[in-house]
Amino acid sequence: MKKNFVFPLLFWLLLGYGQERSIVSNWTAFTQALNIENKQNWNFRVTAKIRKDNKDSSSNCGLWCRIDNKDGSNGFFENQYYGIKVTNEWKTYEIKGIINPNAQTINIGAFAQDNGDFYFDDFKLEVNDAKSKKWIEIPLENSGFEKDIAASNAWFEGIHSQRITHVKHFTVGASDYKPFSGNKSLLIKGQGIIGSMPDGKFMEVNGIKLYYEIYGEGEPVLMLHGNGQSISAFMNQKDTFAKKYKVIIVDCRERGKSTYDKTKELTFDIQTEDLKQFLEKLNIKKTKILGWSDGGILALSMAMKYPHMVDKIACSGANIFPEGVKDDELKSMKEMLASFTKENKDHKNDIFIDLLNLDLKYPNWQYEDLKKIQCPSLIIAGDKDLIKTEHTVKIAESIPKGQLAIIPNASHYVPEEKPELFNELVIDFFENK
């Protein structure tokens, strides 16, 4: 998946999410925004006490912070989720940095992902003017959550001070269960989020273990997520498709709960072999495939290499060579790769580097190669997709039974942005004989 090459939430947190509405996601944030126009170039640090109650080690939580500039751009950004593993014991976590010269607002808050009970207490924001070693505390409203959260406008669910959203499958409120101090703490509770369900299973294939979940009955539909995603990418599709099909959603290697072999390069070829063996072990002779972004690339790859196993494919936001991605997105990916490589102490960024290299190096097909695909193929993209529109059109034209759908007023995130339209479009295609 392009641009959200690390995790889709990175993209959302950097840009802010579109409109004020309820959304479906595997993560949420609880945020307070403060004006810092008179603190430009100052040092800052944000701290909070955090713990979680959850048997699932793959879920996590943490602090996050983003600075919004006067010109509408984003400055400093850090989501601590990726660098820590919160336990069931209260600990202090910290983010620190320098306030941008053009800074206007600092957004700080709690972040939680997947199923579990996530607790936060005693948020604190401090600054100094770089000339003094003395830290000055900037008061936060209801920093210990002792007051009624609902009665205050200071904290809001979401990631942008002007666009408050509610995320389905999460509840946010105060809890009196074992607070760090005082009588209450903040509790963010995630429930019923796919990718972390108790009936999920693992299957050994191609030297690794793939995690998967199955829903519904009928003809099989294999759903394949993007580069930095996991099973939860299809939270907007699972229920609708499970009414008609046997929905099989899998974490690709190095993502979600699936494992990987560090000695082997992450490529689309090796992932295609993973999927072949996976379907064989499930005794699935033939399947429809719904792929999003890199998952769409894998759908194309399966249809080319193992046509006898593929009935139909629907691909959203796929490309067949790196240059099919818009130039500014490729540039951004290269810059992030350089940054992750430079800061790769103790191999902490190895997986992120693998994911970036996957999309910067592969696939390397030609349009002529797509003539091998003999199954009906629906090629989808948003009109504001990260994939060049002319590239998407050419892919559809190059497949003998290819069909094209460009979704208006949509980006690379069509399955999330317009789930009803997207689901209806794909199901109609799958059902059309």
Side-chain angles (χ1 to χ4, degrees):
M1 175 170 261
K2 314 307 172 193
K3 184 66 174 179
N4 61 330
F5 32 79
V6 183
F7 287 93
L9 53 92
L10 269 180
F11 183 72
W12 283 18
L13 286 174
L14 282 167
L15 299 187
Y17 192 79
Q19 299 174 345
E20 184 174 342
R21 63 186 180 96
S22 178
I23 62 174
V24 178
S25 178
N26 71 325
W27 64 271
T28 193
F30 200 58
T31 306
Q32 186 166 155
L34 299 97
N35 186 288
I36 51 170
E37 289 183 85
N38 61 342
K39 302 291 190 299
Q40 294 162 354
N41 296 313
W42 286 35
N43 298 313
F44 77 90
R45 66 184 181 192
V46 180
T47 59
K49 306 295 190 296
I50 309 176
R51 73 178 186 89
K52 72 170 187 175
D53 278 345
N54 189 7
K55 296 180 181 179
D56 184 355
S57 61
S58 67
S59 69
N60 202 20
C61 59
L63 281 172
W64 83 276
C65 174
R66 188 190 72 236
I67 291 178
D68 297 333
N69 295 326
K70 294 178 180 178
D71 61 4
S73 64
N74 300 126
F76 177 95
F77 169 75
E78 183 174 336
N79 184 353
Q80 209 175 38
Y81 176 90
Y82 305 106
I84 64 173
K85 266 297 177 185
V86 174
T87 69
N88 61 359
E89 299 292 333
W90 285 110
K91 291 183 180 179
T92 302
Y93 296 90
E94 178 185 75
I95 290 177
K96 58 184 179 181
I98 299 175
I99 298 172
N100 303 38
N102 193 32
Q104 183 175 49
T105 304
I106 186 168
N107 303 272
I108 63 174
F111 177 88
Q113 182 168 319
D114 293 327
N115 298 310
D117 293 349
F118 308 98
Y119 295 89
F120 303 81
D121 208 348
D122 290 358
F123 273 84
K124 182 184 288 188
L125 171 62
E126 296 173 289
V127 298
N128 70 41
D129 63 3
K131 297 179 182 179
S132 170
K133 294 183 179 180
K134 183 179 180 180
W135 288 95
I136 302 169
E137 183 175 353
I138 297 179
L140 299 173
E141 186 174 334
N142 203 14
S143 60
F145 308 99
E146 299 296 315
K147 301 176 183 177
D148 183 5
I149 293 176
S152 170
N153 292 322
W155 291 93
F156 55 87
E157 188 177 3
I159 58 176
H160 195 287
S161 58
Q162 303 302 318
R163 293 177 173 88
I164 302 171
T165 60
H166 172 67
V167 184
K168 189 178 179 182
H169 298 296
F170 285 96
T171 57
V172 180
S175 170
D176 58 7
Y177 179 66
K178 297 182 179 178
F180 177 80
S181 64
N183 298 312
K184 294 180 181 179
S185 64
L186 173 68
L187 169 61
I188 300 179
K189 188 179 187 71
Q191 291 179 297
I193 299 170
I194 62 172
S196 301
M197 299 300 282
D199 53 353
K201 298 178 181 179
F202 286 90
M203 181 175 293
E204 293 188 12
V205 299
N206 206 18
I208 60 166
K209 291 182 179 180
L210 292 181
Y211 174 81
Y212 67 100
E213 295 177 6
I214 296 178
Y215 300 92
E217 298 178 350
E219 290 183 84
V221 172
L222 177 65
M223 294 188 178
L224 302 174
H225 61 76
N227 182 301
Q229 294 183 316
S230 64
I231 284 174
S232 61
F234 292 105
M235 289 178 66
N236 289 279
Q237 283 68 51
K238 185 263 291 183
D239 289 341
T240 301
F241 280 77
K243 293 175 183 177
K244 288 180 171 286
Y245 304 105
K246 180 179 183 178
V247 174
I248 305 161
I249 323 181
V250 60
D251 282 336
C252 296
R253 64 165 61 203
E254 292 197 43
R255 267 65 57 85
K257 294 183 178 181
S258 292
T259 64
Y260 70 105
D261 183 347
K262 295 181 180 180
T263 67
K264 295 181 179 178
E265 183 185 11
L266 181 64
T267 64
F268 289 106
D269 284 343
I270 199 170
Q271 292 179 82
T272 302
E273 182 61 28
D274 294 345
L275 295 172
K276 172 184 176 288
Q277 294 184 22
F278 173 70
L279 291 172
E280 287 176 340
K281 288 199 171 185
L282 283 178
N283 197 31
I284 292 176
K285 306 298 183 183
K286 204 160 196 172
T287 184
K288 295 175 171 62
I289 303 178
L290 169 57
W292 178 7
S293 198
D294 277 19
I297 296 172
L298 287 172
L300 294 169
S301 180
M302 285 291 295
M304 284 191 283
K305 296 186 72 172
Y306 304 111
H308 63 285
M309 303 184 75
V310 181
D311 179 34
K312 291 184 176 183
I313 61 173
C315 308
S316 182
N319 59 296
I320 66 167
F321 45 76
E323 292 75 20
V325 181
K326 290 179 178 177
D327 295 342
D328 58 339
E329 303 301 333
L330 274 179
K331 180 182 177 182
S332 177
M333 292 165 66
K334 290 176 182 178
E335 290 173 349
M336 185 161 283
L337 175 61
S339 176
F340 275 128
T341 302
K342 182 179 179 180
E343 300 173 4
N344 194 23
K345 297 178 181 179
D346 302 319
H347 300 280
K348 67 176 183 177
N349 294 333
D350 280 357
I351 291 179
F352 301 154
I353 291 170
D354 287 348
L355 295 177
L356 283 161
N357 274 321
L358 173 66
D359 282 349
L360 286 169
K361 294 167 64 176
Y362 305 106
N364 292 306
W365 301 323
Q366 303 296 320
Y367 292 116
E368 287 290 315
D369 296 327
L370 300 179
K371 291 182 179 180
K372 301 174 186 176
I373 300 176
Q374 294 301 311
C375 67
S377 305
L378 177 61
I379 307 303
I380 308 168
D383 63 348
K384 299 177 179 64
D385 210 292
L386 305 178
I387 308 301
K388 296 173 182 175
T389 300
E390 59 270 27
H391 186 65
T392 300
V393 172
K394 187 66 174 177
I395 290 173
E397 291 177 342
S398 300
I399 298 173
K401 297 179 183 178
Q403 299 180 33
L404 175 67
I406 302 296
I407 309 301
N409 300 313
S411 73
H412 196 61
Y413 300 85
V414 176
E416 291 177 345
E417 293 172 340
K418 298 180 181 289
E420 295 83 6
L421 174 61
F422 181 86
N423 295 347
E424 182 180 0
L425 179 69
V426 175
I427 289 174
D428 284 350
F429 169 73
F430 282 166
E431 291 294 296
N432 186 359
K433 302 300 182 182

